[in-house]
Amino acid sequence: MKIAHEAPLCIFNRVQEVTDYDYALVHLFEENEEYWDKFVRAKEIGREIILDNSIFELGEAFEADKFYPWIEKLLPSYYVIPDALENAEKTVTNAKSWQPVLGCKSIGVIQGKTYEEIKWCYQEVEPLVDKVGFSFDYSFFIDTELNGFLPTKYHHYMYGRDALIHRLLTDNIINTGKPHHLLGCGLPQEFDSYTEYEWIDSVDTSNPVVAAIKGMRYNGRNGLEDKPSQKLHTMIDSKLSSYELQLVLYNIECFRAICNG
């Protein structure tokens, strides 16, 4: 699968050298001219770009009437249609009312509070989009029966998405002829589970970068046992030491090894 890691501007170019494509947060275009310029340059040199609606960062998707102009200005490879966190009905309504942007492809992220809502949302959204996305942190992944067996909520997220994908496959819901995208991660070792799924085309996560900034070193392909809670967009202007950069690159190397099986 293709891998992207969001990173502070001071190491953006260096991280770009060891990733497969670039992942943009639309709300930062409004706030940070240097950030926008990085993606203009990425577009000029032919990098694949996914433009996200910033729902994970903002709590709700960037407003559609403000999102359209940025899509049309950048013309990324893909953009993420505004969804609604764990609201399957609103997510489906948004996808059905969305007007495609010529020259770009769309990603529809599946939402819901239960497996049945996720399944219904997938069946409604998948025919409308070019790529389908799954988040890492649906609340129904927190299985209270497993508390005490799983040490952190991030273990619940890791096993939860794996189990969700397996169940959707078993129920013949997933269209394996269409590319899929995994948004974020609980723990990086999750991605060892997907090495045989050629239809999982891409993943984005700032995990190896944020972990390194917080002094957390991957345990090789075993990844991490906990996750730093800070979001990368709040660190976009951070300055890193040479040691922190080397730890970022080490974690990225480990992440890629996990994904490659």
Side-chain angles (χ1 to χ4, degrees):
M1 66 187 81
K2 292 175 287 190
I3 300 168
H5 300 306
E6 303 93 321
L9 291 169
C10 69
I11 61 169
F12 185 99
N13 294 349
R14 186 68 184 88
V15 170
Q16 193 179 59
E17 293 173 1
V18 292
T19 52
D20 303 308
Y21 71 99
D22 299 316
Y23 196 86
L25 303 173
V26 68
H27 77 286
L28 290 180
F29 287 170
E30 285 193 333
E31 301 173 4
N32 195 310
E33 185 175 356
E34 183 182 356
Y35 184 82
W36 163 253
D37 288 342
K38 291 291 186 185
F39 288 93
V40 171
R41 175 59 179 160
K43 174 77 175 181
E44 289 174 348
I45 63 176
R47 293 275 290 182
E48 180 176 327
I49 300 170
I50 292 179
L51 178 57
D52 187 57
N53 62 45
S54 296
I55 193 171
F56 181 67
E57 290 72 25
L58 301 177
E60 57 184 27
F62 207 69
E63 296 176 19
D65 61 345
K66 294 167 61 180
F67 194 25
Y68 274 113
W70 285 114
I71 299 171
E72 292 168 343
K73 189 175 181 180
L74 182 64
L75 291 180
S77 312
Y78 289 92
Y79 57 84
V80 180
I81 296 173
D83 50 321
L85 291 175
E86 303 206 347
N87 188 327
E89 186 173 348
K90 186 174 181 180
T91 295
V92 169
T93 298
N94 287 355
K96 288 184 174 180
S97 63
W98 183 263
Q99 296 299 312
V101 178
L102 189 64
C104 307
K105 295 181 179 180
S106 61
I107 297 176
V109 177
I110 306 307
Q111 296 289 353
K113 290 188 174 70
T114 66
Y115 174 74
E116 290 304 320
E117 288 184 3
I118 291 281
K119 183 171 74 170
W120 174 77
C121 187
Y122 186 99
Q123 291 171 316
E124 294 293 316
V125 170
E126 181 271 319
L128 306 174
V129 299
D130 299 295
K131 182 183 282 194
V132 181
F134 290 116
S135 297
F136 79 93
D137 60 348
Y138 301 112
S139 61
F140 78 94
F141 289 166
I142 305 297
D143 185 344
T144 55
E145 293 183 4
L146 293 176
N147 287 343
F149 295 96
L150 297 178
T152 72
K153 67 178 180 180
Y154 301 114
H155 289 79
H156 285 266
Y157 293 152
M158 175 176 69
Y159 292 117
R161 183 161 59 180
D162 186 8
L164 170 65
I165 290 173
H166 179 75
R167 186 174 179 184
L168 289 169
L169 281 171
T170 300
D171 290 346
N172 294 314
I173 301 301
I174 289 180
N175 177 4
T176 58
K178 178 169 287 186
H180 287 64
H181 178 80
L182 301 181
L183 297 101
C185 75
L187 296 171
Q189 53 269 34
E190 172 195 351
F191 296 92
D192 184 52
S193 299
Y194 310 131
T195 56
E196 296 182 1
Y197 296 157
E198 294 184 0
W199 48 273
I200 298 182
D201 179 65
S202 53
V203 56
D204 80 276
T205 176
S206 61
N207 183 271
V209 179
V210 176
I213 295 173
K214 294 297 184 179
M216 300 173 69
R217 182 182 180 88
Y218 275 34
N219 181 21
R221 288 182 54 189
N222 292 320
L224 297 170
E225 287 304 311
D226 204 353
K227 177 181 177 177
S229 59
Q230 191 167 354
K231 295 178 181 178
L232 190 281
H233 76 109
T234 67
M235 311 164 78
I236 200 69
D237 291 315
S238 297
K239 304 302 180 185
L240 275 64
S241 67
S242 59
Y243 171 78
E244 288 171 324
L245 172 58
Q246 291 308 309
L247 187 53
V248 165
L249 296 176
Y250 171 79
N251 284 355
I252 288 175
E253 181 181 356
C254 293
F255 188 93
R256 185 169 292 275
I258 293 167
C259 291
N260 289 339

